[in-house]
Amino acid sequence: MNNLVWKLLRQHISIGQLTGFFFANLFGMVIVLLSAQFYKDVLPIFTEGDSFMKKDYIIATKKISTLGTFAGKNNTFSPEEIEELKQQSFTRTVGAFTPSQFKVSAGLGMQEAGVHLSTEMFFEAVPDEFVDVNLDKWYFDENTHTLPIIIPRNYLNLYNFGFAQSRNLPKLSEGLMSLIQMDILMKGNGRVEQYKGNIVGFSNRLNTILVPQSFMDWANKNLAPDRQADPSRLIVEVNNPADASIAKYFQQKGYETEDGKLDAGKTTYFLRLIVGIVLAVGLFISLLSFYILMLSIFLLLQKNTTKLESLLLIGYSPSKVALPYQTLTVGLNIVVMLLSIGIVSWTRASYLETLNSLFPQIPSGSLWPTFTIGILLFLLVSFINIIILKKKMLSIWMHNA
């Protein structure tokens, strides 16, 4: 019986209108899926070493002038200045660099060869949420007398490509450096503390020798209890690194930022902006295609009003009469979804070859964003189609009644 109903109702179906909906919907869904997939694939290029999304950080310092140096001007940040910076519209969070207030020296050597190197150094600490390496080993245990250390990656690069290369010395990999233990000697307040230092990571963001914040608080309290550890540098997470109000505020306050920090943030910001625009265009096209489909179905229902009323009068329920139209729309949506996923998969294979040749270190990723968003869009659009058609059929039935 359903076949007879379908044969009766399909006589006025416009192939041109349905074809227009099909290609418009296909085009819109491909744009949406491809934008989301491309964004997920290129994200590791800008966020290496971070979690899902690299946050935008800038390092703030105070300008050091010749006059200020001779006058003994303090270049540290007061609690009031830090609080004021936190209240700015462009600021998300602010972290302070805590400097060591005690003497630190590090030794490295091989007893068998009779070689031992020692140097004076310094430590700084920031809250853990600002550290851009794995935090599994980033903790301080006073009982073990071991100290995790993070050094800037450019320190290792300077040694490998500058010092070692000019003197024909062996180059050191990050894995080898993590196996080396340093002898850390700390003096202050009449105490001497000896620790073993382990390099647990290399930072791209923080240009300093880092130790855990918990260790720094303990060491300053015990080795320099009479000295105040005022921060001379702040790490600021901002909403938009391209915001002109950041530069204006820093200029008014006499603050400076480390070179290149805002440039990297601007890159990730414009990546988000461009992908957002493309996604909006794709969604707009999808909405237009949805409107075309609804218009086509309503015109078809208008042409078949007399037949629909007759079917309802002889006992067919509104749900059964609406079923052929619902089946048609859901079937078209399924075909659009499958073709969209196929097109995105083929396009992704093409651009991944270029990305892998330019950035061989980035992970391969997966097609899960495409599958997830495609299925969600299919379910959403199909559900809306079914509800609208059912309501339209009920309105005809009520009008006829």
Side-chain angles (χ1 to χ4, degrees):
M1 188 64 67
N2 285 332
N3 289 334
L4 294 176
V5 175
W6 171 243
K7 289 179 181 179
L8 180 65
L9 298 179
R10 73 180 182 181
Q11 295 178 6
H12 296 289
I13 291 179
S14 174
I15 301 299
Q17 290 174 343
L18 292 181
T19 302
F21 154 74
F22 177 82
F23 283 106
N25 197 13
L26 178 65
F27 187 59
M29 184 169 282
V30 167
I31 290 178
V32 173
L33 299 186
L34 186 59
S35 300
Q37 185 65 53
F38 181 78
Y39 180 69
K40 187 68 170 64
D41 287 333
V42 302
L43 195 61
I45 298 174
F46 303 94
T47 61
E48 184 180 1
D50 281 56
S51 58
F52 172 75
M53 189 64 203
K54 179 180 179 178
K55 300 173 183 178
D56 298 314
Y57 295 100
I58 56 177
I59 308 298
T61 60
K62 288 188 174 181
K63 290 182 180 179
I64 300 177
S65 62
T66 304
L67 182 61
T69 301
F70 285 113
K73 184 179 179 181
N74 189 354
N75 289 293
T76 60
F77 290 90
S78 66
E80 293 76 17
E81 290 172 324
I82 297 175
E83 186 62 32
E84 182 182 351
L85 183 57
K86 288 181 179 179
Q87 300 303 320
Q88 300 305 308
S89 59
F90 55 78
T91 302
R92 288 184 179 176
T93 56
V94 177
F97 284 78
T98 306
S100 56
Q101 300 296 307
F102 47 87
K103 292 183 178 180
V104 182
S105 62
L108 181 65
M110 295 177 292
Q111 295 181 356
E112 297 82 359
V115 177
H116 185 79
L117 301 174
S118 181
T119 183
E120 297 286 335
M121 63 186 302
F122 67 95
F123 287 145
E124 283 188 300
V126 295
D128 291 349
E129 61 264 27
F130 296 97
V131 178
D132 59 337
V133 301
N134 194 304
L135 299 179
D136 291 344
K137 300 179 181 178
W138 192 242
Y139 58 90
F140 163 61
D141 186 355
E142 185 180 353
N143 297 322
T144 61
H145 272 241
T146 58
L147 180 62
I149 298 173
I150 295 174
I151 66 173
R153 184 169 275 108
N154 60 1
Y155 282 20
L156 184 61
N157 293 337
L158 284 173
Y159 169 81
N160 285 331
F161 303 111
F163 186 82
Q165 188 167 347
S166 64
R167 289 167 173 76
N168 294 322
L169 295 174
K171 295 181 179 179
L172 302 176
S173 66
E174 294 184 8
L176 181 60
M177 287 293 294
S178 64
L179 299 176
I180 298 176
Q181 277 196 336
M182 295 184 291
D183 296 316
I184 306 296
L185 186 66
M186 299 173 292
K187 299 179 181 179
N189 195 31
R191 297 177 56 175
V192 177
E193 297 285 344
Q194 290 185 335
Y195 277 75
K196 289 291 184 181
N198 295 323
I199 298 176
V200 299
F202 298 85
S203 175
N204 291 318
R205 179 189 304 152
L206 303 171
N207 191 24
T208 188
I209 302 173
L210 281 180
V211 293
Q213 184 70 56
S214 57
F215 167 78
M216 184 62 75
D217 294 338
W218 173 87
N220 279 337
K221 180 180 179 180
N222 288 275
L223 300 179
D226 300 328
R227 302 183 64 179
Q228 182 68 27
D230 293 326
S232 58
R233 295 196 297 167
L234 301 177
I235 179 168
V236 185
E237 182 189 349
V238 296
N239 296 310
N240 173 12
D243 191 344
S245 60
I246 300 177
K248 183 179 179 181
Y249 179 81
F250 275 42
Q251 185 177 9
Q252 290 175 348
K253 293 294 183 179
Y255 299 165
E256 292 181 324
T257 62
E258 293 187 359
D259 293 340
K261 296 299 182 182
L262 284 178
D263 294 337
K266 289 177 183 177
T267 303
T268 56
Y269 171 74
F270 283 116
L271 174 66
R272 298 191 198 111
L273 181 63
I274 292 171
V275 171
I277 292 173
V278 175
L279 279 172
V281 172
L283 289 173
F284 180 70
I285 294 175
S286 295
L287 289 175
L288 286 179
S289 67
F290 174 77
Y291 176 75
I292 292 173
L293 176 64
M294 288 295 97
L295 184 61
S296 301
I297 296 297
F298 285 165
L299 289 175
L300 183 59
L301 292 175
Q302 192 66 32
K303 293 177 181 179
N304 288 333
T305 301
T306 304
K307 297 177 183 178
L308 294 173
E309 291 175 347
S310 300
L311 291 172
L312 293 170
L313 284 172
I314 62 176
Y316 281 96
S317 66
S319 299
K320 186 168 293 187
V321 176
L323 184 61
Y325 300 102
Q326 293 171 340
T327 304
L328 175 64
T329 57
V330 172
L332 286 173
N333 290 333
I334 290 176
V335 175
V336 167
M337 181 190 67
L338 295 177
L339 282 178
S340 299
I341 292 175
I343 293 172
V344 171
S345 178
W346 176 80
T347 307
R348 179 176 183 265
S350 300
Y351 71 69
L352 274 185
E353 293 182 4
T354 304
L355 286 180
N356 289 330
S357 62
L358 294 174
F359 307 97
Q361 76 278 7
I362 65 172
S364 58
S366 67
L367 274 170
W368 278 114
T370 297
F371 285 114
T372 303
I373 297 175
I375 292 173
L376 288 176
L377 283 176
F378 161 73
L379 293 175
L380 177 63
V381 173
S382 298
F383 176 76
I384 295 174
N385 288 338
I386 290 173
I387 295 300
I388 290 177
L389 286 171
K390 187 175 180 180
K391 287 187 175 180
K392 182 65 176 177
M393 203 63 64
L394 284 172
S395 67
I396 295 176
W397 181 67
M398 294 295 293
H399 176 73
N400 186 60

